[in-house]
Amino acid sequence: VSGVATSKNNLLIIGNKDFESTDLYVTYKLEDVYGSGFCLAFNDYILIQVEAMDEITIIDFNARLLEKIEPGFNLHHSFVTFAKSLLLPNKNTKSYWEFDSTLKKRIDLQVLFKIRKISENYAFDFTNNNLAAYPLFKDNKLWENDITMHGRWIAKTRKGEIVSDKPNEIDGNIFSYQNLVYVPLRGGQLLALNAKDGSMAWLFEQEVSGAYQLFGNKIYKKNVLAIYEIDALTGEILRTMPLDKNPDLHDKIFAGPLWVYDDIIIILH
């Protein structure tokens, strides 16, 4: 399996040349390709890129090939804006390009790669863990937040002994939902900031690192101990699935990505 894409009530499984499908799902097979790849659901389209900067294949949820985007764009670092357009970084122009909802109209926005991260309608830059926010495609700074003031990056042995205690750092992709901006931290926490002024909305406390992913109005965190389902607006834990104490799961390493389809959580190991 190269990837899984979900949108509304659709589920698409992406496989490489050796992938054998069943009649349970609609599948798309990359006939001449080996590798893991990356796929993204955008409106009624699925975008697939096997290696960064390769051509991007566009299909629909019936696995019909629609078109291909020329090489040079990086799908893994793409962003969907509040205006429902798609932003893709271009290695040749070293700037972000905007694709409209039909993926037809392409505009070079001339927002350079020096902006470290883009999330929906905000651009972010950070130096020495001072996170600065700007309106997308504008130069005036909205706010700045010292990330080291939020929690600590603490490393412990298996017996719980502290071996290091450092100021926090940004760790992972910044993302946003409605009026909140989410910042994953090196200590394992997730910091939610108000997009308007950068003030803290809430801090999801964790001592174990792991990736955070947004699906709809929920955030999911997966680490070696458990999978957490978190309310994106309040930071409240909605569901927890322990991995370390489940006899069917404790010896498996879930190092792959995570997807959500209806009420089903899909993870690769």
Side-chain angles (χ1 to χ4, degrees):
V1 174
S2 298
V4 176
T6 63
S7 177
K8 298 177 181 177
N9 294 320
N10 297 310
L11 170 66
L12 186 71
I13 298 176
I14 315 296
N16 64 12
K17 183 177 180 180
D18 299 320
F19 177 68
E20 294 297 332
S21 63
T22 70
D23 58 357
L24 295 178
Y25 307 108
V26 174
T27 61
Y28 182 76
K29 190 178 294 188
L30 302 178
E31 293 291 348
D32 301 318
V33 170
Y34 295 91
S36 57
F38 182 79
C39 59
L40 170 73
F42 176 66
N43 294 339
D44 296 324
Y45 309 101
I46 301 296
L47 291 82
I48 306 168
Q49 188 174 50
V50 177
E51 297 290 344
M53 305 303 176
D54 281 355
E55 69 178 9
I56 297 174
T57 300
I58 304 175
I59 64 176
D60 63 18
F61 272 95
N62 291 315
R64 292 178 298 191
L65 177 64
L66 301 178
E67 65 172 302
K68 294 186 177 183
I69 298 175
E70 67 273 13
F73 293 95
N74 192 333
L75 184 61
H76 185 71
H77 292 102
S78 63
F79 302 92
V80 179
T81 70
F82 284 138
K84 303 304 180 186
S85 59
L86 179 68
L87 304 185
L88 288 172
N90 186 299
K91 74 170 183 177
N92 300 316
T93 61
K94 297 192 183 307
S95 58
Y96 284 91
W97 288 58
E98 182 179 29
F99 292 67
D100 68 9
S101 59
T102 66
L103 296 177
K104 299 294 184 182
K105 187 178 180 181
R106 308 171 189 181
I107 303 174
D108 186 350
L109 297 173
Q110 298 182 348
V111 177
L112 301 180
F113 286 172
K114 67 179 181 180
I115 296 294
R116 299 287 297 274
K117 296 177 182 294
I118 291 182
S119 178
E120 309 215 340
N121 63 347
Y122 302 100
F124 299 96
D125 196 6
F126 55 91
T127 305
N128 297 326
N129 284 302
N130 280 320
L131 178 66
Y134 301 81
L136 198 55
F137 319 128
K138 296 181 181 180
D139 294 330
N140 55 307
K141 186 186 299 184
L142 290 173
W143 47 262
E144 193 172 62
N145 194 299
D146 184 357
I147 297 303
T148 62
M149 302 299 294
H150 304 285
R152 302 286 295 179
W153 174 19
I154 300 174
K156 296 182 179 180
T157 66
R158 291 187 176 183
K159 295 181 179 180
E161 300 172 345
I162 297 178
V163 294
S164 68
D165 186 344
K166 302 177 182 179
N168 242 331
E169 299 177 1
I170 297 173
D171 183 31
N173 290 327
I174 297 171
F175 55 99
S176 60
Y177 174 70
Q178 293 192 6
N179 295 317
L180 293 178
V181 176
Y182 305 97
V183 186
L185 301 178
R186 183 76 66 181
Q189 309 93 334
L190 181 65
L191 173 64
L193 301 175
N194 291 300
K196 183 178 180 180
D197 58 12
S199 61
M200 187 180 76
W202 47 263
L203 180 68
F204 180 68
E205 294 282 0
Q206 279 278 290
E207 293 185 354
V208 181
S209 61
Y212 290 93
Q213 292 176 257
L214 176 71
F215 287 92
N217 61 353
K218 298 180 179 66
I219 298 172
Y220 294 84
K221 178 179 181 177
K222 172 175 61 70
N223 57 34
V224 296
L225 300 179
I227 298 174
Y228 302 93
E229 183 182 70
I230 307 162
D231 188 299
L233 293 180
T234 66
E236 176 188 358
I237 296 178
L238 302 176
R239 290 189 293 175
T240 302
M241 180 180 180
L243 299 178
D244 59 332
K245 298 179 180 179
N246 189 314
D248 296 324
L249 302 175
H250 77 280
D251 61 339
K252 292 183 171 58
I253 300 175
F254 293 96
L258 175 151
W259 301 274
V260 177
Y261 173 66
D262 283 346
D263 201 37
I264 300 172
I265 299 174
I266 305 168
I267 50 177
L268 297 181
H269 70 88

